[in-house]
């Protein structure tokens, strides 16, 4: 069935000297140009893009070149002026007896035919003023009797365009995206037959999500279809056979993809989707009449898709970020995420926390079995991976809140700390890693799932998390005695290598740059090794200490070494007082006196904090 635009242009192309132009508008990406060209065949139109044109002469030259193709009519038209050669854009050879530019431009303007409809595209992207643009359009309408169709996103034009356009345009038609025909076109462009069949099979789910998004741009539709074809290539046959799961997957994938492309969701919004909804619901239930809980961006996006659960964990949070933020489609991660979902999960072969956290998609029997196993694992202290441990703790709070455990939240908090103490005491608690960002792998969530934390349990859970981090640091400190001999050996033999061990520097190990390991070395032993090291190493060791405690590091991550550093400086001064000659000079040169000032600042900050 012809569209309103097709019907009107079918009438307009029959008009002779209509005396007005037609304005075709619509949001960017709605297919305005495609629909106009579909309504007017190539033999019925002259098409000119105004994108980037800066002068009226460039516009007239572009129309001239469209109406009189270079290899045919342009050369014949040029015979009237000796020495003038036309190309595109038009170029005149100037000199004695040659045609001057103003005459050449006048010639171009008059070379106009009105046997076809003249289409001007991208009006808002032309760099001329509004008055100049409308004047040129009007000249083709009034002076030459042309049928003129102008394609523009009028929402991006000047404010005074609404009033001025009435003098030129006798009809304005707003174009809406023709999603069905565009979908068919995008489908034809897919090279992979398997992907093409997959996309076609779930056309209804794709268009439902696209329409729910309220986005008009067909360019976005094309991008998400191409992305879906990429996703198809990474799926297992087992996944593709599960029609119900694929319908959920397609809707989720398209909706989140669109929300990211439109700038409605950023990385931080994607990392805790389920938690964002839970916390918002809890806070909204507890809101006062005066103040309603602020709606997170993710919840606002989710409201647009009534038939799609945007918190569905078929694609876990980290995977969503990887695909839509980083553009990386990792087959292993995609398949692992799908296999962890109730559609594909085998409860008996999956971690109990991962089964229970998805109880909505589980049979009662499987969910109950998972909960029972979690309680047994807690009692037996069987889980020691930090991320899984935190899931276990969060779910204990959730059980208590929902009366699945007859225990108050404050007691659950104490139980979790006792669990951590027991793991530390038994030596089963893994020590913190040596890297600066060592807890990033389980910060906010683990295994693709955010921790199940509500408003009521959040402060208690955060306290337990902090307790776990401190315990892991203690677990590392128990390892220090095994590490110190090798570090002292490096200190004695290679000052530059020592620098690379305890400071952040490119191209070096930086092994202990984020770890307060020096406090575990007796200051007297440290100074003794330094003094018996070859003098060529001395300055590098001094530079290492200065760099290690630079900026605010002494007041923050290295504050536990403040007392150690103060003693080391005193011991160096003692070495200087008993030394003589060149040795005394050398020792004086390596004493990092600037660190005294930093220690004084540290002491002041401690006193101020106590007040």
């Amino acid at each position: 069935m012809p569209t309103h635009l097709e019907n009107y242009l079918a009438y307009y192309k029959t008009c002779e000297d209509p005396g007005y132009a037609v304005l075709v508008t619509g949001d960017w990406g709605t297919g305005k140009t495609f629909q106009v060209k579909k309504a007017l065949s190539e033999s019925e139109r002259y098409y000119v893009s105004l994108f980037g044109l800066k002068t009226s002469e460039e516009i007239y030259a572009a129309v001239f070149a469209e109406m009189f193709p270079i290899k045919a009519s342009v050369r014949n038209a040029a015979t009237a002026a000796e020495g003038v050669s036309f190309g595109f854009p038009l170029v005149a050879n100037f000199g004695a007896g040659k045609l001057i530019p103003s005459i050449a431009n006048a010639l171009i303007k008059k070379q106009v035919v009105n046997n076809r409809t003249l289409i001007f595209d991208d009006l808002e992207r032309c760099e001329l003023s509004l008055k100049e643009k409308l004047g040129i359009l009007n000249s083709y309408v009034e002076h030459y009797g042309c049928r003129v169709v102008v394609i523009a996103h009028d929402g991006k034009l000047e404010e005074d365009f609404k009033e001025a356009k009435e003098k030129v345009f006798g009809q304005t038609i707003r174009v809406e995206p023709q999603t069905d025909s565009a979908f068919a076109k995008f489908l034809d462009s897919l090279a992979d037959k398997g992907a093409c069949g997959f996309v076609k099979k779930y056309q209804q789910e794709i268009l439902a999500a696209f329409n729910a998004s309220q986005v008009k741009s067909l360019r976005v539709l094309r991008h998400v279809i191409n992305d879906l074809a990429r996703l198809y290539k990474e799926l297992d046959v087992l996944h593709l056979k599960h029609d119900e799961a694929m319908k959920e997957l397609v809707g989720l994938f398209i909706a989140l993809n669109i929300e990211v492309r439109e700038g409605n969701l950023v990385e931080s919004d994607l990392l805790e989707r389920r938690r964002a909804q839970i916390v918002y619901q809890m806070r909204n239930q507890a809101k006062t009449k005066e103040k309603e809980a602020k709606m997170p961006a993710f919840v606002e996006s989710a409201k647009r898709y009534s038939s799609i659960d945007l918190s569905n964990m078929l694609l876990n949070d980290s995977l969503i970020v990887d695909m839509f933020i980083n553009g990386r489609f990792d087959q292993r991660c995609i398949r692992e995420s799908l296999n962890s979902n109730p559609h594909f999960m085998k409860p008996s072969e999956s971690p109990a926390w991962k089964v229970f956290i998805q109880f909505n998609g589980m049979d009662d029997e499987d969910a109950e079995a998972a909960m029972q196993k979690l309680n047994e694992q807690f009692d037996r202290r069987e889980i020691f991976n930090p991320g899984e441990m935190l899931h276990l703790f969060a779910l204990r709070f959730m059980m208590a809140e929902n009366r699945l455990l007859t225990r108050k939240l404050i007691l659950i908090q104490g139980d979790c700390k006792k669990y951590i103490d027991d793991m530390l005491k038994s030596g089963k608690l893994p020590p913190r890693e040596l890297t600066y960002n060592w807890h990033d792998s389980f910060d906010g969530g683990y295994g693709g799932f955010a921790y199940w934390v509500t408003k009521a349990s959040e402060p208690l859970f955060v306290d337990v998390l902090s307790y776990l981090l401190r315990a892991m640091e203690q677990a590392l400190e128990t390892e220090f005695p095994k590490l110190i001999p090798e570090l002292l050996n490096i200190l004695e033999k290679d000052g530059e290598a020592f620098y690379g061990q305890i400071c952040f520097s490119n191209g070096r190990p930086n092994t202990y740059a984020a770890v307060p390991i020096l406090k575990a070395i007796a200051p007297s032993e440290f100074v003794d090794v330094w003094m018996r090291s070859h003098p060529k190493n001395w300055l590098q060791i001094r530079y290492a200490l200065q760099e290690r405690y630079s900026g605010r590091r002494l007041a923050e991550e290295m504050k536990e070494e403040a007392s150690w550093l103060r003693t080391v400086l005193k011991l160096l001064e003692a070495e200087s007082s008993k030394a003589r000659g060149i040795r005394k000079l050398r020792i004086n040169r390596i004493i990092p006196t600037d660190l005294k000032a930093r220690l004084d600042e540290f002491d002041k900050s401690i006193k101020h904090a106590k007040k």
Side-chain angles (χ1 to χ4, degrees):
M1 181 177 177
T3 63
H4 174 52
L5 176 67
E6 290 172 332
N7 284 331
Y8 192 85
L9 293 185
Y11 154 73
Y12 185 66
K13 69 184 180 183
T14 65
C15 298
E16 293 187 11
D17 192 9
Y20 66 91
V22 174
L23 177 64
V24 178
T25 71
D27 294 332
W28 278 337
T30 51
K32 299 184 293 293
T33 303
F34 173 78
Q35 292 188 50
V36 169
K37 286 185 174 181
K38 183 181 176 184
L40 296 171
S41 66
E42 194 169 348
S43 62
E44 296 174 323
R45 68 178 187 249
Y46 294 119
Y47 175 82
V48 175
S49 173
L50 300 177
F51 182 41
L53 299 187
K54 300 177 181 178
T55 66
S56 58
E57 286 78 12
E58 288 180 337
I59 296 177
Y60 287 124
V63 174
F64 181 84
E66 179 69 11
M67 290 181 171
F68 304 99
I70 301 299
K71 293 183 180 180
S73 303
V74 174
R75 292 180 184 273
N76 296 332
T79 57
E82 181 186 355
V84 177
S85 63
F86 292 84
F88 186 72
L90 190 67
V91 178
N93 296 322
F94 306 118
K98 311 296 183 178
L99 199 63
I100 62 175
S102 59
I103 298 176
N105 290 332
L107 174 64
I108 292 172
K109 292 179 184 179
K110 291 182 179 180
Q111 296 294 311
V112 177
V113 291
N114 57 15
N115 58 330
R116 302 181 188 177
T117 300
L118 178 57
I119 301 171
F120 288 103
D121 201 355
D122 297 313
L123 181 67
E124 72 279 3
R125 295 183 175 182
C126 178
E127 299 187 23
L128 272 71
S129 69
L130 177 63
K131 183 178 179 181
E132 288 178 294
K133 288 186 282 193
L134 294 180
I136 294 170
L137 298 176
N138 194 51
S139 69
Y140 284 106
V141 173
E142 289 195 359
H143 299 167
Y144 302 112
C146 293
R147 295 182 297 277
V148 175
V149 173
V150 178
I151 304 172
H153 178 12
D154 60 356
K156 296 296 180 182
L157 289 166
E158 295 89 336
E159 289 294 325
D160 55 349
F161 178 67
K162 291 183 180 179
E163 295 181 9
K165 74 177 184 179
E166 304 302 332
K167 300 176 182 179
V168 178
F169 301 105
Q171 180 67 46
T172 299
I173 301 174
R174 184 166 186 81
V175 167
E176 293 297 327
Q178 303 297 307
T179 52
D180 288 336
S181 57
F183 186 93
K185 181 182 177 183
F186 299 151
L187 196 63
D188 289 341
S189 67
L190 296 177
D192 187 285
K193 292 183 178 179
C196 183
F198 179 77
V199 172
K200 186 176 182 180
K201 180 178 181 180
Y202 297 104
Q203 177 175 349
Q204 182 176 341
E205 285 71 27
I206 295 169
L207 294 182
F210 180 75
N211 292 331
S213 73
Q214 301 173 25
V215 170
K216 301 294 184 181
S217 175
L218 294 176
R219 294 188 184 97
V220 171
L221 178 61
R222 180 182 62 196
H223 286 312
V224 298
I225 286 175
N226 288 339
D227 283 346
L228 187 60
R230 284 186 67 190
L231 177 66
Y232 162 80
K233 295 178 182 179
E234 312 306 335
L235 301 178
D236 188 83
V237 175
L238 176 69
H239 303 141
L240 295 171
K241 287 181 178 179
H242 198 310
D243 188 55
E244 182 183 351
M246 290 301 99
K247 286 180 179 179
E248 284 185 23
L249 176 66
V250 169
L252 176 69
F253 182 90
I254 297 296
L256 288 176
N257 198 338
I258 292 173
E259 293 301 304
V260 172
R261 287 185 178 278
E262 289 297 292
N264 299 327
L265 297 177
V266 296
E267 182 172 348
S268 58
D269 300 319
L270 300 171
L271 285 173
E272 294 188 354
R273 288 177 291 151
R274 178 168 288 168
R275 182 170 182 269
Q277 286 191 315
I278 294 172
V279 171
Y280 174 70
Q281 289 168 1
M282 294 290 292
R283 289 179 178 171
N284 218 31
Q285 289 170 6
K287 73 178 188 298
T288 64
K289 292 182 179 179
E290 293 78 19
K291 188 175 182 181
E292 185 172 342
K294 183 180 179 181
M295 184 179 293
F298 178 77
V299 176
E300 196 168 335
S301 290
K303 286 180 66 179
R304 282 188 276 274
Y305 304 89
S306 58
S307 61
I308 301 171
D309 177 13
L310 261 61
S311 64
N312 188 316
M313 296 306 290
L314 262 169
L315 302 173
N316 64 51
D317 294 341
S318 57
L319 179 57
I320 291 291
V321 169
D322 227 23
M323 291 191 295
F324 300 148
I325 303 297
N326 303 323
R328 184 168 54 240
F329 286 57
D330 186 286
Q331 184 181 92
R332 181 184 62 81
C333 293
I334 290 170
R335 293 185 177 185
E336 282 183 359
S337 181
L338 291 174
N339 292 338
S340 296
N341 188 268
H343 284 304
F344 303 102
M345 179 189 291
K346 296 179 180 178
S348 59
E349 299 176 6
S350 302
W353 69 264
K354 191 173 284 189
V355 177
F356 186 65
I357 206 171
Q358 301 181 89
F359 67 85
N360 278 335
M362 289 287 172
D363 294 334
D364 287 349
E365 186 177 321
D366 290 331
E368 289 283 352
M371 183 174 68
Q372 183 179 346
K373 185 175 181 181
L374 274 177
N375 290 331
E376 291 173 356
Q377 289 178 321
F378 186 89
D379 293 338
R380 295 172 183 170
R381 306 302 199 240
E382 291 181 353
I383 295 178
F384 52 86
N385 174 284
E388 293 189 331
M389 198 184 301
L390 288 167
H391 272 303
L392 174 64
F393 297 159
L395 291 172
R396 295 280 292 184
F397 281 116
M398 184 271 272
M399 292 178 205
E401 280 187 273
N402 293 278
R403 299 182 181 179
L404 298 174
L405 279 178
T406 54
R407 205 156 171 76
K408 293 181 179 180
L409 293 182
I410 192 68
L411 295 178
I412 295 291
Q413 178 191 27
D415 294 342
C416 293
K417 288 184 174 181
K418 181 64 167 59
Y419 187 109
I420 295 168
D421 289 340
D422 291 344
M423 299 299 282
L424 179 61
K425 186 176 180 180
S426 66
K428 293 181 179 179
L429 186 71
R432 61 154 283 189
E433 295 178 2
L434 298 175
T435 57
Y436 177 75
N437 55 343
W438 61 278
H439 50 75
D440 281 3
S441 62
F442 56 88
D443 189 14
Y446 176 78
F449 292 83
Y451 303 123
W452 193 305
V453 180
T454 66
K455 182 183 178 182
S457 64
E458 184 173 16
L460 303 177
F461 178 81
V462 170
D463 181 63
V464 170
L465 170 60
S466 299
Y467 196 82
L468 173 63
L469 298 183
R470 289 194 298 271
M472 293 178 69
E473 288 176 339
Q474 292 175 42
L476 176 62
E477 289 181 13
T478 63
E479 302 287 322
F480 284 169
K482 301 175 186 176
L483 304 172
I484 286 172
E486 177 59 26
L487 184 59
L488 288 174
N489 185 51
I490 295 172
L491 172 69
E492 182 175 359
K493 293 183 177 178
D494 191 337
E496 188 172 347
F498 178 74
Y499 183 106
Q501 286 285 326
I502 71 165
C503 300
F504 290 111
S505 56
N506 294 331
R508 294 176 180 177
N510 309 326
T511 308
Y512 304 110
V515 179
I517 191 173
L518 297 186
K519 70 174 185 178
I521 303 175
S524 57
E525 185 177 11
F526 182 86
V527 173
D528 286 345
V529 174
W530 190 349
M531 293 296 97
R532 69 170 180 259
S533 170
H534 193 285
K536 69 179 181 180
N537 293 323
W538 286 15
L539 279 176
Q540 280 295 333
I541 297 169
R542 170 195 168 179
Y543 295 151
L545 293 178
Q546 288 176 312
E547 177 61 27
R548 184 171 178 83
Y549 305 114
S550 61
R552 288 194 50 79
R553 298 200 73 213
L554 185 59
E556 293 174 356
E557 58 262 47
M558 291 301 149
K559 62 184 178 183
E560 293 181 37
E561 291 184 356
S563 177
W564 176 88
L565 177 61
R566 187 178 288 108
T567 305
V568 166
L569 294 180
K570 288 180 180 178
L571 290 172
L572 285 173
E573 290 172 350
E575 287 290 327
S576 172
S577 65
K578 65 183 182 182
R580 297 290 181 270
I582 194 69
R583 183 173 178 83
K584 184 179 184 68
L585 175 62
R586 281 177 174 164
I587 295 174
N588 287 339
R589 291 190 67 211
I590 64 163
I591 296 176
T593 54
D594 57 319
L595 291 182
K596 289 184 179 180
R598 292 180 193 168
L599 283 168
D600 290 340
E601 289 177 9
F602 173 77
D603 291 339
K604 288 178 183 178
S605 66
I606 295 296
K607 290 179 181 178
H608 181 73
K610 288 181 178 179
K611 290 181 181 179

